[in-house]
Each structure stands twice: as C-alpha cells, then as structure tokens.
Amino acid sequence: MSQQAHPHRSNAPAGLAEAGLDLRILATTDLHANLLAWDYDGNRPSDQVGLARVATLIRQARAEQPQALLFDNGDFLHGSELGDYLAETTPVLRSGRPLRTHPMIAAMNALGYDAATLGNHEFGFGLGFLRRSLAASNFPIVSSNLFFKPTRGKPLSQPFLLLDRELKDRAGQSHRLRIGVIGFLPPQTMVWEGRYLKSRASVADILSSARELVPMLRAQGADLVIALSHSGLDLEPDGPRALENVSAALAELDGIDAVIAGHTHLVFPAANRSDIAGKPVVMAGFHGSHLGVIDLRLCQSDEGWTVAGFHAEARPISRRAPQSGRVEALVADDPEIAGLVGHAQEVLLSRNEAVLSQTPIPLNSYFALVSDVASVRLVARAQADHVAQALVGRSEARLPLLSAAAAFRAGGRGGPENFTAVPPGPVRMRHVGDLYCHPNSICALRLTGREVALWLERAVSLFQRIPLGAKDALLVNTQFPSFNFDMIDGLTYQIDLSQPAHFEACGAVRNPEAKRICDLRYRGEPLQPDQVFVLATNSYRAAGGIGFAGAIPGNVIYDGAVSNRKVLADFLSQGGAPLMQDAIPRWRFKPMAATSVLFESAPEAAEHLAEVAHLQIEPLDITETGFRRFRLWLG
C-alpha cells in the first residue's frame, strides 16, 4: 500500500515536520480462542489460524519499528472447541496443578497488549466466566458503548483510555504522546446475549457514543484517538444490519485518527481500497489469519501532533500457492505462546475421540449449496428433537414443528478446506464441531406460514438470477455467506432461479414482489400463509438483525441457553442416528431447460458425486484459490 495523506495535515515548518515521529499500531481481531495452529473442526493442523502464528508477526513488526502499540479488537475468548473446553472445565497442568489463567489471556499478557475491547461473543459463557478470565489480564479493557448497572468490585471495562507514551522523533528527541483509545461492540449484543446482559447492562449506539467521547478525549489532551471497533465496514443505511457494521462511518468522524475494525471476519485494506475517509483502517481477518499494521507519520506544530501520512496493511500468516492452490505457511509458531496451552490441548483432543454414534453414509457439505444433504438434515433433526422435548406440556407442543439449518462449512472465505467431511463409520465428539462450527444456542420461534416462506426467500438470496438458456452462469452470490443459506426440514419446495431475489445479500428487501420459492408444501399440502408453526433454529437467527422474517424477541417461545453443538452431541449419543440420504430431496431447483451454472467446492468433492446422482453435475478444473469448479445442468 502506498502512503496516504491525512486530511488534517500539519502546519509545521518543513524542518520540524522532518523531525516528526513514527508510531506503529498493531491489531488482532476475532481470534475466537484460536491460540494454536489447529483446525478443531477438521481435527488437523492448520497453517491458516492461531495467535501463536500471529505472535511471530508481532515480534517481527516490533523489531522493524519498536515504537508500537498492540490492541485486540474483541471476540478473543469464545468460538473454538478449545475455548469451549476451557470454559466448561478447569484444566490441569502436567504437574497436576489447576490452570489458573486462561491461556488466551496468558498469551495476550506475554505479548504485551496495550489494550483490548470486548466483542459480542465475549459474553457467550456468562459474566462470571468473563470476569474470572479478565481478572488475570495485565492490559486494560475499554468498552465505550457498554454500560453496566453499578456493582461492587472492579468494573469489567473502562469507557475510554488515555495511554501516555514516551516516543522519540527522527532526530532522537523524546516526546510525550497521549493516545486516546475508545472501543465499541454492536448494539445487537443486547439481543444476542440477552440471557446474560438483559437485566445488568445496556449497549448504546456506536456512532452516538463516539461523537460524545472524542471531544472529551481531545479536551483531556489526547494527541491521537484510536477506535477499536468490533463492527464491520459494510454500511447499509436501509439494511437490517445498519447499526451493526458502522466502522466505515466511524472513520468519517472528525477527531478519530485510526480505526481497527472487525466482527465480519473480512480483511482490509483490500486490493481496490486502502483507506476510508482518508484515514487508516485495518481489519485483520479472523482466527489469527492476519495481523493488522498501521504506520503513522506524525508531525508537531503549535496545534499539537497531527498525522502527516500513513501506511496500512493486513499481514497474513499464510498464503495460497497460485499453481497448486495449497496453503503455505509464511511464519512458524512462536514457541512461548504455543506452550501456554499446556496439557489442555492433549486432553481436549483425547476427549474428542469419544464415539457418539455411527453413520452408514458420508456426512459432508460438498454439495450443500446445490442439494438437500444429510449433514444439514441431521442438524435440523437434532434441533427439532430437542425443541419437541422442551415444549412437552406447553400449548405450543400442538403446533407443527419445523427446523431450519444451514451448512456452516461450505467453502467461501474459509477456502477449499472449509467443508464438513465426516466419513462413514463412527461419529466422534470432534465431528460435532465439524457439523456445527458456530457457538450458537438452541432457540425456537412461533411463525406464520407467510413468515416461513419469507424465511426461505431470505435464504435463497444466496443465488444469482439465472436467465433461461444461460450457459455456465455463476450460481452463487459471493457476497452472501453460506451460513445464511437455511433449509427447513419438514417442508418440500423448489427454488426458481429465473426469478430475481426478494432480498439483498445484507437482508434488505430488494424486490418486494419477487418469489423464488415455489411449490412450497407441508405434509404434501400447499403451505397456507396463516398457518402457525414452531421453527427450531439458533440464537443468532432468533436475535434478528440479518433479515429473516419473524426473527424478533416477541416470537421467541423457547430460549434454551444450550449450545447447538451440545444439542447435536446429545442427539447422537442418545440414539439419534444419521439417516440415509433420502431418494427424494426436500428441496431442489426448478428445472430450466438447456441451462447450466457453475459453482465451487472442495477438490475432493469430485469423489462424492454418487451422493448427488439425482443431479447432472460435471467436475471441471482447480482454480487458483484451490477450489474445484463444477458445472450443474438445471434442465
């Protein structure tokens, strides 16, 4: 990336500006308790994840520029199987002594983080676990739009920070710099984690909070203001996630000099853009895939220190070889950080080999975006079984029960390794994470048939509109995450790809009259708009905010506070075995004569074509990103 001019240039004379100082800002985000270079879902080493790998980049970046600050942007404690294990148990060291400090906190202490903010997932194990974990931290926690009711003891976080640092300019002279730090998490956290926060806290709007705090920090002598924003960059003013992803709007506010973004697991700077509103912004991927680096060139005038220029980049821990498509490591583990997990990793991997059930067929997601597959249906059946038991004795038990599930591992930004792949035979504890990788909890909604139909319309926004007779049109809208592609077990339906999408990828209504879902039936009869159903789903869906019809608090009839992974594990261990692939899929594309589309899957998907023999699929080439392309005939 090239140097970018800051809109507030210094008025200092040329000689003084040349004697300015340099400051480097380093950032991690969305680590999700991925301390090691290990893929818990696939049960194999991974060169694409892990704070232990990022630690090597951090040490390299500090060696290049010792005047550096290190921040984390939230979601660091919750999200991997290791994170779940550390929350559910008290691991012991090989010496037999209990592991007192959470390994993620120990690693962040060892790396000398200057501060961190909280992400929405920090609350997934409750406030008690969060407080105990943070009690061992040597760095401050800043959360500027999270407000707790007064309690005894030390506050969980601070509304802002003022960090005083002694830095040297290019002429070797020392200067005292005061750096203001603010941190934000999405307001929807109050809904997503309402069971823990509802009566104890509130979360304010991000932009309103920033507008109030930035002048206060400047008045208290802040030379710079850095925003740690656990919020995405996509600003959709009319979309359902408008208040959730506002980091771009945050960068546009006067008085903020740099923004660390996150939450949406993307990487910024991107190939076509290196700044926002003339200011440096970084988003360092997810699970430790990147280190965000911002280099600020500061100069001093009578008005104080100002940013004269900057360079921003996201440094990866791995790359994909263009010829083979294979992932290559760019750095090795930092041995100190990797060693902090201790005995916990070995115990976890041993526990994960426990057999829960048996499957006579492969359970994978290679073709989950083009066909009804057994792996997704298994999750749906487990959810329905749990909700049915939970509703016994309640009036809702008389309502017809449906269950929505998606293929969470279906390629996308996770790459060609990001597919569920459980072979025939024993279904082990580790396979549960492969089948359901997200840290959600089970919920159920009361919905009308009209809302159910719109739920499916939202899901099939995944697909591009395909003209009749098209040859090799691209099937999937790459802006739509596959984890929002729900199928609903208990219904049968077709998807008419010739029709426009009802919804945008972000969830906003695009074409209010458009209908892709056709021949929608419940028990063989056309689904009626005024029919009432119970829909088993997850806490992320039920919280709303991503455009699924009826996903509002008033429609939630069951909030189990039980993880969907545990629901699946219990279903399997209690005799709920995977079913054979149905001869008649629950959903399919409406036939389109002489029309073909292209989609991507894992290279090994070509070995599983017999599982979708009812479709006309042809394997094609391997792309530079490591995926195999396939042609699907819709006729």
Side-chain angles (χ1 to χ4, degrees):
M1 302 293 173
S2 60
Q3 292 277 348
Q4 302 291 327
H6 191 279
H8 304 293
R9 279 192 174 275
S10 169
N11 296 322
L16 185 57
E18 290 172 4
L21 58 83
D22 300 305
L23 175 64
R24 172 164 283 184
I25 299 168
L26 306 176
T28 53
T29 191
D30 295 277
L31 293 169
H32 287 288
N34 282 275
L35 182 58
L36 301 176
W38 188 265
D39 175 7
Y40 293 96
D41 299 329
N43 192 45
R44 60 197 174 201
S46 172
D47 291 323
Q48 296 176 284
V49 303
L51 181 57
R53 296 288 171 93
V54 181
T56 301
L57 291 181
I58 291 171
R59 299 197 196 281
Q60 291 175 356
R62 282 171 168 162
E64 297 165 1
Q65 173 52 270
Q67 297 190 152
L69 299 173
L70 175 60
F71 300 108
D72 184 82
N73 201 43
D75 278 7
F76 51 85
L77 280 179
H78 187 196
S80 72
E81 285 195 52
L82 177 63
D84 289 357
Y85 174 66
L86 293 170
E88 295 163 359
T89 62
T90 302
V92 296
L93 302 170
R94 288 187 178 87
S95 64
R97 291 183 293 108
L99 188 65
R100 297 295 185 190
T101 302
H102 194 295
M104 286 300 294
I105 299 298
M108 295 169 77
N109 286 341
L111 288 168
Y113 275 77
D114 290 275
T117 195
L118 300 173
N120 50 290
H121 281 297
E122 253 66 74
F123 304 94
F125 296 120
L127 287 173
F129 172 78
L130 179 57
R131 288 185 184 278
R132 290 191 300 272
S133 299
L134 294 181
S137 64
N138 296 336
F139 50 89
I141 301 295
V142 58
S143 195
S144 305
N145 64 330
L146 174 65
F147 303 96
F148 281 95
K149 292 183 178 179
T151 57
R152 295 179 180 179
K154 182 182 177 182
L156 188 70
S157 60
Q158 303 175 49
F160 62 87
L161 299 172
L162 286 166
L163 305 178
D164 292 316
R165 297 291 186 266
E166 289 291 327
L167 304 176
K168 289 186 177 181
D169 63 23
R170 295 178 180 180
Q173 294 294 112
S174 292
H175 300 270
R176 177 178 172 276
L177 200 71
R178 173 163 281 193
I179 299 128
V181 183
I182 46 180
F184 305 98
L185 72 168
Q188 289 90 337
T189 303
M190 281 301 300
V191 180
W192 298 329
E193 304 297 346
R195 69 176 64 94
Y196 300 119
L197 296 176
K198 183 165 52 179
S199 61
R200 306 179 187 180
S202 62
V203 180
D205 172 72
I206 293 175
L207 297 179
S208 299
S209 300
R211 291 187 185 102
E212 181 178 337
L213 282 171
V214 171
M216 185 187 307
L217 288 171
R218 294 292 185 179
Q220 294 187 36
D223 298 293
L224 295 171
V225 175
I226 299 168
L228 309 183
S229 176
H230 193 81
S231 176
L233 291 169
D234 299 325
L235 183 60
E236 297 284 349
D238 300 320
R241 305 182 74 176
L243 298 177
E244 181 181 348
N245 297 310
V246 298
S247 291
L250 200 60
E252 295 174 355
L253 296 183
D254 288 340
I256 292 179
D257 295 288
V259 174
I260 313 299
H263 182 56
T264 52
H265 292 197
L266 299 176
V267 178
F268 190 89
N272 60 345
R273 193 168 184 184
S274 60
D275 70 277
I276 295 176
K279 297 177 186 176
V281 177
V282 291
M283 186 188 292
F286 63 105
H287 297 179
S289 63
H290 293 74
L291 173 68
V293 181
I294 294 175
D295 285 310
L296 297 177
R297 184 160 46 86
L298 308 175
C299 61
Q300 192 177 32
S301 69
D302 294 338
E303 300 173 359
W305 291 98
T306 56
V307 178
F310 64 79
H311 174 85
E313 61 180 309
R315 296 185 179 182
I317 64 170
S318 65
R319 74 181 185 103
R320 195 173 295 279
Q323 298 302 319
S324 66
R326 294 190 180 92
V327 174
E328 299 176 342
L330 296 177
V331 291
D333 283 343
D334 180 289
E336 177 189 3
I337 303 305
L340 291 172
V341 174
H343 195 44
Q345 174 82 347
E346 297 172 23
V347 175
L348 171 61
L349 296 183
S350 176
R351 186 191 73 166
N352 276 350
E353 291 304 305
V355 176
L356 301 175
S357 185
Q358 299 284 328
T359 176
I361 61 171
L363 297 171
N364 59 60
S365 60
Y366 296 137
F367 300 107
L369 303 189
V370 297
S371 181
D372 178 23
V373 297
S375 61
V376 177
R377 195 179 318 114
L378 170 62
V379 171
R381 297 281 170 86
Q383 293 176 169
D385 179 77
H386 180 93
V387 170
Q389 294 181 48
L391 295 182
V392 169
R394 294 177 50 174
S395 61
E396 293 91 350
R398 296 192 296 270
L399 296 174
L401 176 60
L402 308 173
S403 186
F408 292 136
R409 304 190 70 208
R413 69 184 69 152
E417 298 81 18
N418 186 38
F419 287 88
T420 295
V422 180
V427 182
R428 302 182 185 274
M429 180 66 78
R430 60 180 166 85
H431 292 139
V432 171
D434 197 7
L435 288 158
Y436 202 109
C437 63
H438 287 291
N440 302 322
S441 58
I442 186 74
C443 284
L445 298 164
R446 180 188 177 108
L447 299 180
T448 65
R450 181 180 294 102
E451 289 168 327
V452 168
L454 284 173
W455 190 289
L456 288 173
E457 290 289 350
R458 170 75 177 101
V460 299
S461 302
L462 169 75
F463 303 114
Q464 307 274 20
R465 186 178 188 179
I466 308 299
L468 181 65
K471 296 295 185 291
D472 292 352
L474 297 181
L475 175 63
V476 172
N477 176 0
T478 57
Q479 300 303 309
F480 189 104
S482 66
F483 58 72
N484 282 339
F485 178 54
D486 274 1
M487 59 81 70
I488 296 185
D489 193 48
L491 302 175
T492 60
Y493 51 95
Q494 293 189 20
I495 303 168
D496 187 351
L497 295 176
S498 70
Q499 298 301 308
H502 187 104
F503 294 94
E504 301 276 1
C506 66
V509 174
R510 178 196 294 178
N511 300 293
E513 304 303 319
K515 287 182 60 177
R516 283 181 166 178
I517 299 299
C518 54
D519 197 23
L520 178 57
R521 295 175 178 269
Y522 173 68
R523 292 187 174 179
E525 297 297 325
L527 184 140
Q528 300 301 314
D530 57 352
Q531 280 182 276
V532 180
F533 297 89
V534 171
L535 180 71
T537 182
N538 61 61
S539 53
Y540 181 70
R541 290 283 191 276
I546 52 174
F548 280 87
I552 57 176
N555 284 345
V556 176
I557 62 167
Y558 174 69
D559 185 353
V562 178
S563 75
N564 289 71
R565 285 198 286 242
K566 187 176 188 308
V567 166
L568 178 56
D570 289 347
F571 179 74
L572 290 167
S573 63
Q574 294 167 9
L579 302 177
M580 294 293 288
Q581 183 72 42
D582 287 1
I584 302 176
R586 298 295 191 276
W587 67 267
R588 61 175 62 195
F589 296 121
K590 185 176 180 180
M592 297 175 65
T595 305
S596 67
V597 293
L598 300 179
F599 68 95
E600 294 181 337
S601 189
E604 54 268 33
E607 304 166 15
H608 293 262
L609 285 171
E611 298 163 27
V612 284
H614 60 287
L615 299 177
Q616 299 180 62
I617 298 179
E618 302 171 8
L620 302 174
D621 57 327
I622 303 290
T623 69
E624 288 187 358
T625 54
F627 288 96
R628 181 181 289 280
R629 293 196 309 159
F630 291 84
R631 176 182 293 119
L632 168 64
W633 288 94
L634 297 173

